[in-house]
Structure formats: structure tokens, C-alpha cells
Amino acid sequence: MTQKKRQKIREYGITIGQLPTGEKNDITDVAGVRVGHVTMKEELAGADEEYACTGVTAILPHGDSLFREKVTAASYVINGFGKTTGLVQVNELGVIESPIMLTNTFSVPAVTQGTLQYMLDTNEEIGDTTGTINIVVGECNDGHLNSIRRCVVRPEDAREAILRASDAPVEEGAVGAGTGMVAFGYKGGIGSSSRVITVDEQSFTVGALVLSNFGSKSEFLGDKLFAEKMKEAPSVEKAEDGSIIMVLATDAPLSDRQLLRVAKRAGIGLGRTGSHFGHGSGDIVIAFSTAQRMMHKSESYQETRVQVREDHPIMNQLFAAAAEATEEAIYNSLTQAVTTKGRKGRTVHAWGEMP
């Protein structure tokens, strides 16, 4: 199937929110952040209408050793029907020390193993002269298009996604972990967006990357809001509610508690698209700040960190940025996706694309 080039929602003349975007309008506008994908899309040999339609996505807060130079982080569970790893320790200690990995539900163990092996290979002290490491993996169920029971993702695919990570414009849509995802009855997947706020002549960026796999066509506000801009396409209905993983990055100096407050506002952006956080949906936010790095080893018993004032108007701007960037990232996951064929002869059409 020949696919025409897809675009971000702004290229259709649709503006989301009021704050300006970064140069690339994606999470890599936050300096140092990198994203990489491994995409798997092929018919499985010897199988009856079985199809690999899945992958892995890696988000790196910076390009150095994340274990030796950790970043401030927090997570927030809007609805907990999800199978993540590592978030308990993230919220306990307030840092992330590994790449943030995304994949399908049944591939969490393989991706965790592959990421762990990569970190062991590049940090010889882990589990030997120092403690263990906390690997963070998020998932959504791509079983409508992907033969999820075949567990085609391997540990080495996680490693490859990490090695491919770069600060280039993020590839969006039906790629990486988003290859088999479905959102609002249309082809979903990876989407990203960013916002820039300015305080006292200093600019800060908030970037969002989502793995969208939730909602039904009847709930989708985009169909109603942008009907004049987007062509109507056939939709599908899934039995399950689906899920979404939202990753927020910023270079604003925030504590883990402040990041938790910002992470909660991603739910506003999610709700604006039409989601009601369904019973069977895993709606989870992972947020981090690149402003400061916490060294794994230090001779001192204390450390100094800078954070924004809670009562300064910058907090409201950060809240708005998180909501706007998340909302637009979800729309970008749809407008950047292409019509995709999967298992049992199923096809999920891209939003705004005629069959």
C-alpha cells in the first residue's frame, strides 16, 4: 500500500492552545532529549493471518550515562489499568536513571531485559561495586492489529531503539511502540509536541510524547471540532478501553513534587480530546526535568538544587504548557499515522485519510 506523507495537525491549519511551540514542535525541543524507534511490521511466516505490527520506542533524557547522572522525575497514574515497571521507585526517590521505554503489553519483560542488559554493558559498576538499577517501561495493548501472543519483540530490539535515539525531529504515528496502536477508532501511535514559556527573559520548554491507544469514535472531539479541515475516514471499534502513556520533559528547574503537579495537567490535555479515562484504560504520565543532574556518586552528604518558586506565575504557565502539548501530541499521533494492515485481515484507517 503506497502511503502519502502525513503531517502534524498544525500543517492542516489547526492551532491547539495559545502558547508557542518549539522549533521542531516535539519532545526533542528540550535540549538533550533523544528518541529512537524499532518498528516491526510484517506477516508472520507459517501463521494463519497472524501479523507482527508492533515495536519499541526509547526516550532518553540526555545522551550521557543516565545511571551515573540521574534526572529529577515523577509519575502520575490517572487510571491504573496498566503494566508498567519502575514507577514505584521513581516516585519514592524522585529520579529516573534509565531510558524510558515504550512497547506493547506482553513485551514489557523482553524490553525490560534488553534495557537492563544495555545498562549493564555500559555501566560496569551496576550490581557490583554499587547498587542495582531501576528500569522504566510503559505499555499499551496493540492486540487488535498485532499478534500480541506471538511475543515477537526481543531484548535486542530494546537495545537497538536506545542506540537509534537522536535529537532529530521525532518520527510519529505508526512507528516504534505505536506501530499497532488504535485511538478513537483510527490509527494511533506515537505523537509529540512542545511549548515554550518565557519568564524574566529566560525561556523554558515543555515537551510531550504520547503512545495513544484509547477511546472510541463516538467520544472523539476532533471529529467534531475539525470537521472542515479533516476528511472523514472509516473507524473501527475495539472491545477494550485501551490506554495511553504520556511522557513529559522540561528544562525548567522543578522538584519531583513540582513535576508531579505538572504531570497531573497532562490529564487535561487528554480529556480535551474526548477521553473520560475509561475503566479498562491505563492512563499514565511520566515526567522529568533535565535542568539538573544528580550524580550517582558523591563525597558529600548534601546536595544543592534550584527550583522555581511555587507562587510564581511560571507554575501556571507550566501547567498550561503540559496540557496544550499533551493535547496536540495526541492529535499528532493521529494525523501522522498511516492506514495500517494487521492480523486477521484487519485494517485501521488513518484519521483524515480517505481509503
Side-chain angles (χ1 to χ4, degrees):
M1 178 183 302
T2 301
Q3 302 282 7
K4 63 182 180 180
K5 184 181 184 299
R6 299 282 283 168
Q7 300 174 309
K8 284 180 175 284
I9 195 166
R10 287 182 180 248
E11 295 174 276
Y12 291 90
I14 298 169
T15 300
I16 305 298
Q18 300 178 341
L19 294 169
T21 70
E23 181 179 357
K24 291 172 281 190
N25 190 18
D26 68 44
I27 197 170
T28 61
D29 282 322
V30 179
V33 175
R34 303 180 178 198
V35 176
H37 302 296
V38 166
T39 299
M40 308 172 74
K41 190 183 297 184
E42 61 183 348
E43 187 174 356
L44 295 175
D48 182 17
E49 293 189 293
E50 296 299 321
Y51 213 86
C53 191
T54 192
V56 184
T57 295
I59 304 104
L60 280 62
H62 60 70
D64 300 316
S65 170
L66 286 161
F67 180 74
R68 295 170 187 152
E69 301 180 45
K70 311 174 198 302
V71 296
T72 308
S75 72
Y76 178 61
V77 178
I78 299 172
N79 195 69
F81 204 95
K83 292 82 180 170
T84 59
T85 67
L87 298 189
V88 171
Q89 183 171 313
V90 168
N91 286 348
E92 182 71 19
L93 301 183
V95 296
I96 279 178
E97 58 185 10
S98 78
I100 300 165
M101 308 298 291
L102 306 178
T103 190
N104 74 66
T105 308
F106 288 173
S107 294
V108 170
V111 170
T112 302
Q113 180 61 43
T115 307
L116 172 61
Q117 192 60 57
Y118 171 82
M119 296 301 290
L120 293 176
D121 291 345
T122 55
N123 301 268
E124 67 279 356
E125 68 273 30
I126 296 175
D128 185 6
T129 59
T130 190
T132 58
I133 186 170
N134 185 50
I135 305 296
V136 176
V137 183
E139 57 78 31
C140 292
N141 181 356
D142 58 12
H144 182 79
L145 287 173
N146 176 47
S147 297
I148 193 169
R149 287 175 57 91
R150 297 292 294 270
C151 298
V152 298
V153 174
R154 305 161 300 169
E156 49 263 43
D157 295 317
R159 178 185 180 89
E160 184 61 27
I162 295 169
L163 292 175
R164 291 182 185 181
S166 77
D167 61 2
V170 174
E171 189 179 1
E172 299 171 81
V175 296
T179 304
M181 303 300 173
V182 182
F184 293 117
Y186 300 111
K187 188 67 195 73
I190 299 293
S192 196
S193 185
S194 67
R195 293 294 185 273
V196 178
I197 63 174
T198 302
V199 180
D200 296 335
E201 300 184 350
Q202 184 172 4
S203 294
F204 298 105
T205 302
V206 175
L209 184 145
V210 303
L211 178 62
S212 67
N213 188 60
F214 67 98
S216 64
K217 179 178 171 64
S218 62
E219 298 170 324
F220 187 37
L221 296 183
D223 271 348
K224 305 174 182 66
L225 295 173
F226 313 127
E228 295 180 359
K229 298 283 187 179
M230 309 299 294
K231 297 177 182 178
E232 185 174 359
S235 63
V236 299
E237 292 296 332
K238 301 185 300 177
E240 68 277 0
D241 289 330
S243 298
I244 182 170
I245 303 293
M246 296 158 278
V247 179
L248 295 179
T250 185
D251 53 8
L254 300 177
S255 68
D256 58 301
R257 182 185 56 77
Q258 290 172 324
L259 278 169
L260 176 60
R261 299 190 71 206
V262 172
K264 292 178 180 180
R265 273 63 186 185
I268 301 296
L270 175 59
R272 286 173 179 169
T273 65
S275 171
H276 65 271
F277 318 149
H279 161 72
S281 184
D283 307 314
I284 297 168
V285 190
I286 304 166
F288 64 88
S289 169
T290 64
Q292 298 163 103
R293 300 185 186 183
M294 278 57 70
M295 306 305 294
H296 182 72
K297 284 189 175 182
S298 175
E299 298 300 323
S300 176
Y301 71 92
Q302 57 185 339
E303 61 185 8
T304 301
R305 303 189 197 182
V306 176
Q307 69 179 55
V308 303
R309 282 186 59 92
E310 208 79 31
D311 59 353
H312 193 281
I314 186 176
M315 288 303 295
N316 275 330
Q317 292 187 62
L318 290 166
F319 292 165
E324 289 186 12
T326 301
E327 179 184 8
E328 185 161 340
I330 292 169
Y331 286 129
N332 285 337
S333 75
L334 291 155
T335 62
Q336 292 277 57
V338 295
T339 294
T340 301
K341 182 179 76 170
R343 65 188 291 257
K344 297 187 180 298
R346 294 169 179 168
T347 296
V348 178
H349 290 276
W351 180 43
E353 178 181 271
M354 298 298 289

